[in-house]
Amino acid sequence: MSNQNQPQTKQKWSKMYTAVLIANALYIVLFYFITASFA
């Protein structure tokens, strides 16, 4: 039964992981613009 649950959790985590990566990319871009404006 644990083998059946693993692919489902991997699919859910892949969606969450892509959302986290997009959020991190936006945060890095915003942080870059903020530091560039003060520099």
Side-chain angles (χ1 to χ4, degrees), residues 1-30:
M1 295 193 107
S2 62
N3 288 336
Q4 289 178 349
N5 288 336
Q6 281 180 348
Q8 290 179 353
T9 50
K10 280 185 179 178
Q11 285 178 355
K12 287 181 181 178
W13 267 105
S14 67
K15 287 181 181 180
M16 283 295 297
Y17 197 67
T18 49
V20 170
L21 283 176
I22 291 169
N24 281 331
L26 289 172
Y27 184 78
I28 289 168
V29 170
L30 284 172

